[in-house]
Amino acid sequence: MACTGFIVIMTETMPAGLLPQLAGGLGVSEGGAGQLVSAYAIGTVLAAIPAIMLTRGARRKPLLRAGLLGFLVANTVTTLAPSLPVALGARFVAGAFSGLLWGMLAGYARRIAAPEQAGRALAIAMTGTPVALSAGTPLGAWLGSAAGWRWAFAAMSLLTAVVMIFAQFLVPDVPGQRAQTRVPLARVLGIPGVATILLAVFVWMLAHNLLYTYIAPYLRQTHLALRPDLALVVFGVAALGGIWITGVYIDHALRRLTLVSVSLFIVSGATFLLAQQSTVLALLAIVLWGIAFGGAATHLQTAMGEAAGENGDVANALLTTSFNLAIFAGGALGALVVDGIGASVLPAGMIGLALLALVTVGCGRRAAFPAGR
């Protein structure tokens, strides 16, 4: 499951480290190349809820294999894409299968563990995210710089094929949701705490993606002596620390962990604003940002799983939709900023959005992020 998360996140974020190569290879601007991230996100947004609603009664292991096969095909088409429209279409398909996998993976991981360790099981399954950010995306950026961006996507196809083989033999199967416990989508949205969590997801992840998608032009325009691939390595290693902290405390300190993580986003954004020509301050900001982001997905999915109960898969499909709406908005809004005002102002947007996320989490004291858990 962690390897599956690795593939999903690396496929999603790899263009962030390859924007110059993608722009040159496809004959578009860096803002245009950034829409490869947005196309992936909109595919997830449109597919996540229908996919989970249609498959919530299906056994989980065949569903996992189907999702991996979708990534294998989509990354292969991206590798061979002759133009931006073809690449955008392949990225849209990859995003659709991402919606399927993220919608079911959290509940799948929690169900194969003892109830008192469900949060820790989810944290372990989510380690694919920081590993992708710390090793996968920078490695993809390096491979794309050394051999061409097509080889980076080809490597993802090969890795997906390997994970499919291992999944066949190592992942236990569990049944889908029982028919008598399924409720309509509107009623899931009305479960106490669910709407608050969805709002927190959107504004928090928009704060993240606004800068993460355009980290390369930000570093260049602020004249920092820091390469994008190195910055992504530092970010990902710090994210590993964040998810380790999350794994230790998630089952008894969810609210406090989430509040601290969102607060670190604000501190990180402020440090970025002070680091316009200071590489040391920029590295400090990246470390704080990585620690804060490392456990974010686990915080939010744990909160959603506990709020939604038996309908956790559908609720997590809503979470995935909100998450990827934020990715889409970050790519689109960031492109306007980068091509217009300039990337140096992105940390200011990160601070404002993180403040809104902090208020949202704080207001979710009763049902979304309950106190005294």
Side-chain angles (χ1 to χ4, degrees):
M1 292 182 182
C3 288
T4 298
F6 176 91
I7 290 168
V8 172
I9 292 296
M10 187 170 171
T11 299
E12 178 179 347
T13 62
M14 197 159 53
L18 293 171
L19 281 185
Q21 292 85 356
L22 286 162
L26 295 171
V28 296
S29 69
E30 288 189 355
Q35 299 318 300
L36 291 171
V37 177
S38 297
Y40 183 103
I42 200 65
T44 305
V45 167
L46 294 177
I49 294 173
I52 292 301
M53 293 296 289
L54 289 171
T55 62
R56 56 179 168 172
R59 299 194 68 84
R60 303 290 94 178
K61 185 171 178 175
L63 208 54
L64 175 63
R65 294 200 304 263
L68 286 167
L69 179 60
F71 269 87
L72 175 61
V73 172
N75 279 321
T76 301
V77 173
T78 304
T79 301
L80 302 173
S83 63
L84 181 62
V86 175
L88 288 172
R91 294 284 296 174
F92 179 88
V93 171
F97 280 99
S98 169
L100 172 66
L101 287 173
W102 279 131
M104 53 84 73
L105 200 60
Y108 196 174
R110 289 170 62 88
R111 288 173 64 190
I112 62 173
E116 66 274 12
Q117 294 186 327
R120 183 169 296 183
L122 178 56
I124 293 170
M126 292 297 106
T127 54
T129 297
V131 172
L133 296 172
S134 62
T137 303
L139 182 60
W142 171 82
L143 181 59
S145 299
W149 62 268
R150 295 183 189 276
W151 284 104
F153 283 96
M156 287 304 304
S157 294
L158 177 60
L159 177 62
T160 304
V162 172
V163 173
M164 288 178 67
I165 295 171
F166 277 91
Q168 175 63 35
F169 296 102
L170 297 180
V171 178
D173 193 14
V174 295
Q177 184 182 0
R178 294 172 297 156
Q180 58 268 34
T181 65
R182 300 175 203 168
V183 301
L185 179 63
R187 286 183 58 190
V188 175
L189 187 58
I191 293 172
V194 168
T196 301
I197 295 168
L198 292 176
L199 177 59
V201 169
F202 180 77
V203 293
W204 190 4
M205 292 304 105
L206 179 56
H208 168 72
N209 284 284
L210 193 64
L211 182 58
Y212 188 86
T213 304
Y214 296 98
I215 189 66
Y218 169 79
L219 294 174
R220 185 178 65 251
Q221 292 182 23
T222 52
H223 308 291
L224 291 167
L226 188 61
R227 299 198 318 269
D229 55 349
L230 179 58
L232 292 174
V233 168
V234 174
F235 176 89
V237 171
L240 284 174
I243 203 163
W244 179 82
I245 294 169
T246 297
V248 172
Y249 296 106
I250 187 69
D251 285 309
H252 58 270
L254 172 62
R255 179 178 175 80
R256 280 176 287 173
L257 276 175
T258 308
L259 288 170
V260 169
S261 293
V262 179
S263 298
L264 279 179
F265 257 67
I266 299 169
V267 175
S268 174
T271 307
F272 271 121
L273 287 178
L274 297 173
Q276 296 293 315
Q277 294 187 8
S278 172
T279 302
V280 173
L281 281 179
L283 285 170
L284 175 61
I286 291 169
V287 169
L288 294 175
W289 183 19
I291 292 172
F293 180 77
T298 305
H299 301 163
L300 296 166
Q301 288 179 312
T302 298
M304 187 64 85
E306 295 190 354
E310 287 270 8
N311 292 283
D313 282 354
V314 176
N316 268 301
L318 291 168
L319 185 150
T320 299
T321 301
S322 182
F323 199 108
N324 283 276
L325 277 172
I327 295 173
F328 171 77
L333 179 60
L336 294 175
V337 174
V338 170
D339 293 340
I341 304 172
S344 60
V345 304
L346 292 175
M350 179 182 182
I351 293 171
L353 290 163
L355 281 168
L356 180 56
L358 185 65
V359 172
T360 304
V361 174
C363 292
R365 184 181 183 87
R366 296 186 61 184
F369 303 93
R373 177 175 173 276

